[in-house]
C-alpha cells in the first residue's frame, strides 16, 4: 500500500496504478505534449524511470492508433553499469515488442565514456564525468531520434529531477538553462531539434519507482552508476528529500515556483538564439556545439577542423 502524504490518501496496487496513469495523462493534456499522430521516441536507459515511461506510453498507444512508440538507448560505455540496464530493457521489451535502437558513444564518438574520462584526466581537462556524459547523451538523443523519424522525444525526467536541477541552476547562477527543464521544449527553435516532452514532470521519483515495480519493469538488484559520486546533484537530492520528509509538498511547491519563473521570463528569452554548429551541423547555442568542443579538447577532432569549416 502506498500513502501519499500530500493528499493524505492510501492506495492499493490497482488504485495506485490508476492514480499514477490518470495523473500523467492529465499532465500530457495540460501541456499539450502529444497530438493525434506522433512517432514517440522514448529515451530509455533501462532504469526504473525510463522503463516506467516506455511502458506507460506503450500502454497508452494501444488506445491511440495515431501513436507509434520506439525506444532509443544510449550506451555510454560504463563498465559494471550500463550492460545491466540494457539487459533489463531487453528483458522487458520481450514482452512489449517495441522497436528500438542502441546508439553508443563508441560508435558515434570513437570512445566509450570510460575512455573519455581517462583521456580527459590524462590531458588535464577540468570536466567531471557527468559533464561529458550529459553533453554527449543530449547530442545523441536529439540526433538519433531525428534519424529514427521521431516527431517527439520523450524523456523520463520526474518532479525530483526537475526540482534538483532547478536548485542546482539557482546555486550556480545559470538561470539561462532553465528552459531545458520545461515540460515541452524545442518548439520551432531549430529545424533539426526534435521536440522534447517530460510526461513525468508532475510525479515524484518514488511514484515512478512504485509504478515500475508494480508492473515488473525493473530487476530487484540495483546498479548504481560508478560516476554518481562526482555529481553534486546527489547532495541536493538528499537535502530536498529531507525537506520533503519534514514538510510534505515541498517538491511540488518548488516545481510550481520553477514553472512560475519560466512563465515570467518567457521561454524565448531563456533559450536565446539557436544556431547551427559549424562543425557537425547540429543545433547549438554557440558557433561550435558543446559536443564538438569536447571532442576537440579530447583530441577526437583536430582543432584545425573548426578553421577549415569556417573557410579560414
Amino acid at each position: 500500500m502506498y500513502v501519499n502524504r500530500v493528499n493524505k490518501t492510501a492506495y492499493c496496487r490497482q488504485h495506485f496504478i490508476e492514480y499514477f496513469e490518470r495523473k500523467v495523462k492529465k499532465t500530457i493534456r495540460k501541456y499539450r505534449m502529444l497530438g493525434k499522430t506522433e512517432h514517440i521516441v522514448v529515451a530509455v536507459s533501462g532504469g526504473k524511470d525510463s522503463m516506467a515511461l516506455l511502458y506507460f506510453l506503450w500502454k497508452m498507444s494501444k488506445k491511440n492508433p495515431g501513436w507509434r512508440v520506439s525506444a532509443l538507448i544510449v550506451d555510454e560505455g560504463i563498465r559494471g553499469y550500463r550492460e545491466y540496464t540494457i539487459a533489463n530493457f531487453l528483458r522487458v521489451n520481450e514482452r512489449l515488442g517495441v522497436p528500438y535502437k542502441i546508439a553508443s558513444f563508441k560508435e558515434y564518438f570513437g570512445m566509450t565514456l570510460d575512455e573519455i574520462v581517462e583521456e580527459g584526466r590524462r590531458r588535464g581537462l577540468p570536466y567531471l564525468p557527468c559533464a561529458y556524459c550529459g553533453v554527449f547523451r543530449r547530442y545523441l538523443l536529439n540526433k538519433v531520434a531525428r534519424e529514427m523519424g521521431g516527431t517527439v522525444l520523450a524523456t523520463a525526467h520526474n518532479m525530483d529531477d526537475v526540482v534538483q536541477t532547478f536548485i542546482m541552476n539557482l546555486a550556480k547562477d545559470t538561470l539561462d538553462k532553465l528552459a531545458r527543464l520545461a515540460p515541452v521544449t524545442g518548439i520551432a527553435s531549430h529545424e533539426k531539434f526534435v521536440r522534447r516532452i517530460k510526461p513525468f514532470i508532475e510525479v515524484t521519483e518514488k511514484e515512478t519507482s512504485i509504478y515500475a515495480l508494480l508492473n515488473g519493469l525493473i530487476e530487484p538488484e540495483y546498479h548504481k552508476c560508478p560516476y554518481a559520486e562526482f555529481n553534486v546533484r546527489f547532495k541536493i537530492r538528499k537535502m530536498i528529500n529531507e525537506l520533503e520528509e519534514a514538510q510534505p509538498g515541498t517538491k511540488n511547491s518548488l516545481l510550481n515556483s520553477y514553472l512560475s519563473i519560466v512563465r515570467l521570463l518567457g521561454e524565448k528569452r531563456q533559450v536565446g538564439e539557436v544556431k547551427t554548429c559549424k562543425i557537425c551541423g547540429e543545433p547549438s547555442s554557440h558557433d561550435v556545439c558543446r559536443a564538438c568542443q569536447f571532442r576537440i579538447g579530447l583530441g577526437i577532432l583536430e582543432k584545425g577542423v573548426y578553421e577549415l569549416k569556417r573557410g579560414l
Side-chain angles (χ1 to χ4, degrees), residues 60 99 113 125 139 142 166 170 198 209 212 270 281 286 291 307:
M60 293 304 105
L113 181 62
L125 300 178
Y139 181 93
N142 184 73
F166 172 43
L170 289 178
K198 300 179 181 65
S209 298
Q270 296 175 66
H286 304 283
E307 284 73 16

Side-chain angles (χ1 to χ4, degrees), residues 27 29 100 131 152 165 199 229 238 262:
T27 299
R29 291 194 301 269
Y100 69 91
V152 61
T165 308
E229 62 183 282
K238 182 175 183 292
V262 168

Side-chain angles (χ1 to χ4, degrees), residues 248-284:
T250 295
K251 293 176 184 178
N252 193 67
S253 295
L254 285 170
L255 177 66
N256 289 335
S257 294
Y258 160 69
L259 293 173
S260 295
I261 290 173
V262 168
R263 285 191 291 268
L264 287 172
L265 292 178
E267 184 176 348
K268 184 176 180 180
R269 180 179 171 185
Q270 296 175 66
V271 174
E273 181 185 0
V274 180
K275 303 179 180 180
T276 299
C277 176
K278 293 184 180 296
I279 293 178
C280 67
E282 291 296 311
S284 173

Side-chain angles (χ1 to χ4, degrees), residues 178-282:
L178 289 182
R180 293 180 184 173
L181 306 178
V184 180
T185 56
I187 300 176
S189 62
H190 193 284
E191 61 180 4
K192 289 188 175 181
F193 195 94
V194 180
R195 179 169 50 93
R196 296 190 184 190
I197 61 172
K198 300 179 181 65
F200 283 179
I201 194 171
E202 294 186 343
V203 293
T204 66
E205 181 180 23
K206 183 176 182 179
E207 289 172 332
T208 58
S209 298
I210 293 172
Y211 184 78
L213 282 169
L214 292 178
N215 287 289
L217 305 176
I218 54 176
E219 295 282 7
E221 185 179 0
Y222 173 70
H223 297 280
K224 181 180 178 182
C225 177
Y227 298 117
E229 62 183 282
F230 299 104
N231 197 329
V232 70
R233 172 182 297 276
F234 292 88
K235 295 180 180 178
I236 299 291
R237 177 185 182 184
K238 182 175 183 292
M239 178 190 72
I240 294 174
N241 283 341
E242 289 174 350
L243 287 171
E244 179 70 25
E245 182 65 27
Q247 180 100 26
T250 295
K251 293 176 184 178
N252 193 67
S253 295
L254 285 170
L255 177 66
N256 289 335
S257 294
Y258 160 69
L259 293 173
S260 295
I261 290 173
V262 168
R263 285 191 291 268
L264 287 172
L265 292 178
E267 184 176 348
K268 184 176 180 180
R269 180 179 171 185
Q270 296 175 66
V271 174
E273 181 185 0
V274 180
K275 303 179 180 180
T276 299
C277 176
K278 293 184 180 296
I279 293 178
C280 67
E282 291 296 311

Side-chain angles (χ1 to χ4, degrees), residues 12-231:
C12 65
R13 181 186 186 280
Q14 177 186 340
H15 289 134
F16 174 80
I17 291 175
E18 291 174 356
Y19 152 79
F20 182 92
E21 293 181 348
R22 184 169 60 248
K23 193 170 184 180
V24 178
K25 288 177 191 176
K26 182 178 179 181
T27 299
I28 291 173
R29 291 194 301 269
K30 179 179 178 180
Y31 297 104
R32 300 179 181 178
M33 293 183 176
L34 296 168
K36 291 183 178 180
T37 304
E38 299 280 9
H39 178 189
I40 308 166
V41 176
V42 184
V44 175
S45 67
K48 59 183 181 357
D49 297 323
S50 64
M51 293 309 299
L53 179 61
L54 179 65
Y55 177 79
F56 170 82
L57 289 172
W58 168 82
K59 187 176 180 180
M60 293 304 105
S61 70
K62 302 302 179 182
K63 302 176 182 178
N64 294 273
W67 291 4
R68 182 158 61 99
V69 176
S70 299
L72 170 56
I73 305 97
V74 174
D75 180 4
E76 306 91 344
I78 305 173
R79 288 187 302 272
Y81 173 65
R82 184 54 72 211
E83 63 264 34
Y84 295 110
T85 58
I86 290 178
N88 183 59
F89 162 76
L90 294 173
R91 176 186 66 83
V92 173
N93 202 46
E94 287 183 3
R95 174 166 39 129
L96 308 185
V98 173
Y100 69 91
K101 178 176 177 60
I102 299 178
S104 70
F105 278 21
K106 188 75 171 180
E107 175 189 358
Y108 282 86
F109 306 123
M111 302 172 75
T112 66
L113 181 62
D114 290 339
E115 292 169 340
I116 287 170
V117 171
E118 184 178 344
E119 181 64 17
R121 287 170 178 166
R122 190 184 70 80
R123 289 172 175 257
L125 300 178
Y127 308 110
L128 294 175
C130 294
Y132 294 119
C133 187
V135 168
F136 287 139
R137 273 183 58 82
R138 286 192 295 271
Y139 181 93
L140 282 187
L141 286 173
N142 184 73
K143 177 180 175 62
V144 180
R146 187 181 69 246
E147 292 172 351
M148 293 170 67
T151 59
V152 61
L153 175 65
T155 64
H157 293 91
N158 54 49
M159 184 187 297
D160 294 59
D161 295 323
V162 173
V163 165
Q164 290 161 17
T165 308
F166 172 43
I167 297 299
M168 289 167 64
N169 283 323
L170 289 178
K172 295 178 181 178
D173 192 24
T174 51
L175 297 181
D176 57 309
K177 296 182 179 179
L178 289 182
R180 293 180 184 173
L181 306 178
V184 180
T185 56
I187 300 176
S189 62
H190 193 284
E191 61 180 4
K192 289 188 175 181
F193 195 94
V194 180
R195 179 169 50 93
R196 296 190 184 190
I197 61 172
K198 300 179 181 65
F200 283 179
I201 194 171
E202 294 186 343
V203 293
T204 66
E205 181 180 23
K206 183 176 182 179
E207 289 172 332
T208 58
S209 298
I210 293 172
Y211 184 78
L213 282 169
L214 292 178
N215 287 289
L217 305 176
I218 54 176
E219 295 282 7
E221 185 179 0
Y222 173 70
H223 297 280
K224 181 180 178 182
C225 177
Y227 298 117
E229 62 183 282
F230 299 104
N231 197 329

